[in-house]
Amino acid sequence: MHIATRTFATALAVLGTATCLASPALADDAPPGGPLPPQLFNVKYTVTADKPVIAEIYYRDTDPPTFSEYSHDPYVFSPNTEATVGPNKPWVLVATLTDPMQWGMVLVQATGALPKATAGFNCTMEINGQVVKRNSGPKGALCSLRNW
């Protein structure tokens, strides 16, 4: 064995032994109190329209366990509702998510007799009281931090 290789191997062995003796945190025991719970975020969705209209609203109020489960059936994790919204009649939903950057989303579009081009939809998404996304559109609006 070459001298440099032996020196390196000896240094690794000494370092490994010293680390194991000096660091009880590296033991197999779990930290006291167990794992920390995931951080939860308060997500508030608000939908309005420039004119009174019956709106179809899709939203996310639950984090999917995995992306593959979400992509297999996104509607399981994206419930929808119909609501009459207008300038002074908002639709508001407050949800708790662990990853709102990935999963926070509200989408609105017109339904019913009013022509979609005249609805003038607006949406807002807040995380922990801070507005993080606003959007408007004549036929619908999407508020999400993720690019869908």
Side-chain angles (χ1 to χ4, degrees), residues 40-59:
L40 300 176
F41 295 90
N42 182 26
V43 180
K44 180 179 177 183
Y45 306 118
T46 304
V47 171
T48 63
D50 296 339
K51 299 178 182 179
V53 62
I54 298 172
E56 185 170 19
I57 303 167
Y58 290 86
Y59 56 92

Side-chain angles (χ1 to χ4, degrees), residues 13-98:
V14 170
L15 179 62
T17 302
T19 302
C20 289
L21 294 174
S23 300
L26 295 177
D28 289 337
D29 296 336
L36 295 174
Q39 183 176 0
L40 300 176
F41 295 90
N42 182 26
V43 180
K44 180 179 177 183
Y45 306 118
T46 304
V47 171
T48 63
D50 296 339
K51 299 178 182 179
V53 62
I54 298 172
E56 185 170 19
I57 303 167
Y58 290 86
Y59 56 92
R60 189 113 357 86
D61 62 354
T62 304
D63 292 89
T66 63
F67 186 80
S68 63
E69 287 184 57
Y70 167 78
S71 64
H72 177 71
D73 192 358
Y75 292 102
V76 168
F77 302 103
S78 305
N80 74 322
T81 188
E82 284 189 5
T84 301
V85 296
N88 297 313
K89 189 169 184 169
W91 174 88
V92 178
L93 178 85
V94 177
T96 302
L97 298 174
T98 57

Side-chain angles (χ1 to χ4, degrees), residues 3 40 64 105:
I3 293 176
L40 300 176
M105 184 271 309

Side-chain angles (χ1 to χ4, degrees), residues 101-119:
M101 297 291 289
Q102 173 83 0
W103 299 115
M105 184 271 309
V106 64
L107 169 78
V108 58
Q109 60 189 19
T111 183
L114 185 68
K116 291 181 180 185
T118 64

